[in-house]
Amino acid sequence: MMRYYSLGMKLNDVIKDKDTEQVILENIRRCSNIVGKWFKVVFWHVNLTEQNCKDFVKRNEHLLFEVNTKITKIQEDVWFSIDSKKGSGRYTFDGDILQGISQYLKIINHIKKRDGE
């Protein structure tokens, strides 16, 4: 059975520091390369303006085009949720986004080993 190994995170936390933003996005690219076509990233936000979101997309359009991406106002159900006070996912990680991505990759690598991929 194939399903998306979606990764959800709060866009507000991604864009608050431009240097960290690039590191986070490079790590998202890495996740996408490891997972392949079943990868999806969902950015949800709280009270960001449309312009904030457009600026984020414009700054990162090359990477966002490469990776299956969704930006939304509502925290959606995802397979792995980072910093989810109220979110739901099969897996959740409460803390730093980069540490969360690291945990996501540990689980993905375990699944790949288990399934012999």
Side-chain angles (χ1 to χ4, degrees):
M1 179 182 96
M2 282 301 184
R3 64 190 170 280
Y4 278 106
Y5 293 107
S6 53
L7 176 61
M9 65 191 71
K10 191 174 180 183
L11 184 57
N12 305 57
D13 295 339
V14 174
I15 67 174
K16 66 183 172 192
D17 175 350
K18 299 295 180 254
D19 293 332
T20 308
E21 176 180 309
Q22 292 309 305
V23 174
I24 290 169
L25 290 169
E26 285 303 319
N27 277 278
I28 289 170
R29 173 185 278 141
R30 192 165 150 241
C31 292
S32 179
N33 289 337
I34 291 169
V35 175
K37 66 182 176 180
W38 301 108
F39 179 77
K40 179 180 184 178
V41 63
V42 178
F43 295 106
W44 56 276
H45 67 87
V46 177
N47 298 327
L48 287 180
T49 65
E50 187 177 340
Q51 194 59 51
N52 291 140
C53 295
K54 282 182 179 178
D55 291 346
F56 170 74
V57 170
K58 186 171 183 163
R59 273 194 312 276
N60 301 294
E61 62 188 335
H62 196 72
L63 181 131
L64 297 174
F65 180 74
E66 208 177 287
V67 174
N68 187 356
T69 306
K70 182 174 187 177
I71 299 175
T72 178
K73 287 182 180 180
I74 325 163
Q75 189 172 4
E76 296 185 353
D77 285 349
V78 291
W79 187 76
F80 188 100
S81 182
I82 298 174
D83 190 32
S84 59
K85 305 291 185 248
K86 63 183 178 40
S88 59
R90 179 163 183 182
Y91 300 97
T92 58
F93 180 84
D94 187 19
D96 178 74
I97 290 177
L98 291 171
Q99 291 173 347
I101 291 172
S102 175
Q103 290 302 309
Y104 173 84
L105 286 171
K106 281 182 185 174
I107 294 170
I108 289 296
N109 286 326
H110 172 77
I111 289 169
K112 284 183 157 253
K113 254 186 225 156
R114 181 195 70 195
D115 294 348
E117 289 180 32

